[in-house]
Amino acid sequence: MIEPAKLFQLEGGQKRRKLALTFGALERDILGIAEKGTEYSFSALSRTEYITKITQILLKDPKLPAEKAENLQNLLNTQPLDELRLCNTARNALLEIIGAFPAEWDLVIAPHANPTDENGVVKQRSFYPGMCVYAEDIRSPFNIGSIFRTAEGMGAEKVYISPCCVSPEQPRAIRSGMGCIETMGWEQVSLDKLPADMPVFALETGGTDINEFKFPERGICIIGSEELGVSPEALRKAEYGCVSIPMKGLKASLNVGVAFGILMQKWVEYINKNSK
């Protein structure tokens, strides 16, 4: 981090880039995830005072839109100061001016609950036995990470991935998975190697309305690629049926991770309702 007085001396783009980096470093410090050597360390100023001073520097930027400036000023005036929200708002305002919008894997996200105990052993997770998903040829690391995150959060037992699926161990997949890839059971298998004793159904257009579909208590749901959807081979494998999400839009299209989230909510809801 740089002293406020030195920031004042910088010009235009250089100042904005340095401020953006500084606000990002402060976010990590506030969340307790700062890398070693980047923790806040100015003894002359408290962290709150430092954040206030560099925000005041940003407020003098002639390219800062009026509505952004008003928002930042309101955050400054609110006590106690919400350091994290102020830094995040300031950083994103600067990135907008610079024209460098953050990708999903660049976001500063608070750490989630530790999945291991004091001995480093992974805690036993709760799930619905036999609730599984087969991700067929998902190409985007962000999407596969999102699928794992949803599967873990909603209580799926296992994720199967096809041979042509992007690896869940790809760095961007790990980032978007938020630790769920490490704790979620998964296996890479071809369609013909899926368990033969479990019903298989597909999430695809042209099937039974998701509000009317009778989900199996145990089963494997196939979700298809971002570009082509579920393959003809996978649809033939889905002997239990096909489920669809009704939509009204002109495009009638959902991101695969979003569609999977809707599917999982409905599946869990159905099981909870019919197991009583």
Side-chain angles (χ1 to χ4, degrees):
M1 294 179 197
I2 187 170
E3 294 179 2
K6 291 183 179 179
L7 280 169
F8 268 117
Q9 297 171 10
L10 298 177
E11 299 293 335
Q14 184 184 16
K15 178 185 288 186
R16 295 184 189 108
R17 289 190 293 272
K18 192 64 179 180
L19 275 170
L21 290 170
T22 300
F23 280 116
L26 284 164
E27 285 182 77
R28 290 178 173 81
D29 187 73
I30 294 164
L31 291 168
I33 56 174
E35 296 180 4
K36 188 175 181 180
T38 65
E39 303 92 342
Y40 182 76
S41 59
F42 287 119
S43 58
L45 291 172
S46 69
R47 189 175 64 194
T48 297
E49 291 171 330
Y50 181 86
I51 292 170
T52 298
K53 284 185 176 295
I54 63 172
T55 302
Q56 289 168 343
I57 293 174
L58 173 57
L59 286 169
K60 297 180 183 297
D61 192 315
K63 289 193 176 183
L64 181 68
E67 67 276 11
K68 305 285 186 183
E70 182 180 0
N71 189 16
L72 286 168
Q73 190 61 62
N74 288 338
L75 287 170
L76 270 181
N77 294 340
T78 302
Q79 297 299 322
L81 191 71
D82 188 336
E83 295 183 357
L84 183 60
R85 186 167 296 278
L86 179 55
C87 287
N88 182 267
T89 302
R91 178 169 63 88
N92 282 292
L94 281 160
L95 291 176
E96 187 171 339
I97 296 171
I98 295 168
F101 295 97
E104 163 68 16
W105 48 87
D106 291 327
L107 301 181
V108 180
I109 302 174
H112 285 51
N114 194 333
T116 60
D117 61 22
E118 61 276 7
N119 297 315
V121 178
V122 176
K123 299 174 185 176
Q124 185 174 2
R125 58 180 292 268
S126 177
F127 55 83
Y128 293 91
M131 179 182 282
C132 304
V133 58
Y134 183 74
E136 183 188 39
D137 300 352
I138 302 298
R139 310 295 187 181
S140 162
F142 168 76
N143 283 339
I144 198 67
S146 174
I147 288 165
F148 268 81
R149 188 174 177 182
T150 297
E152 201 285 332
M154 297 302 294
E157 179 177 0
K158 190 171 185 176
V159 174
Y160 294 98
I161 66 170
S162 71
C164 292
C165 211
V166 65
S167 172
E169 296 177 335
Q170 206 267 5
R172 290 179 178 177
I174 292 173
R175 171 65 171 162
S176 66
M178 291 299 295
C180 295
I181 292 171
E182 295 91 323
T183 60
M184 185 83 202
W186 66 278
E187 184 179 350
Q188 188 170 44
V189 297
S190 58
L191 276 169
D192 61 345
K193 297 297 183 182
L194 287 174
D197 60 343
M198 296 180 70
V200 178
F201 64 101
L203 175 62
E204 187 57 282
T205 57
T208 303
D209 188 313
I210 197 169
N211 297 300
E212 301 172 2
F213 190 74
K214 295 182 179 179
F215 289 92
E217 185 172 346
R218 296 169 56 86
I220 302 171
C221 178
I222 300 175
I223 54 175
S225 74
E226 301 90 341
E227 298 170 303
L228 302 174
V230 179
S231 70
E233 295 78 14
L235 286 174
R236 287 194 290 271
K237 181 76 173 179
E239 295 182 349
Y240 187 84
C242 182
V243 57
S244 300
I245 300 170
M247 291 179 279
K248 291 185 178 295
L250 291 174
K251 291 290 186 179
S253 175
L254 292 174
N255 170 272
V256 63
V258 173
F260 178 59
I262 295 171
L263 179 283
M264 285 299 296
Q265 169 58 33
K266 286 292 186 179
W267 194 355
V268 168
E269 184 180 294
Y270 184 90
I271 291 176
N272 289 338
K273 180 180 178 181
N274 290 279
S275 63
K276 296 179 180 178

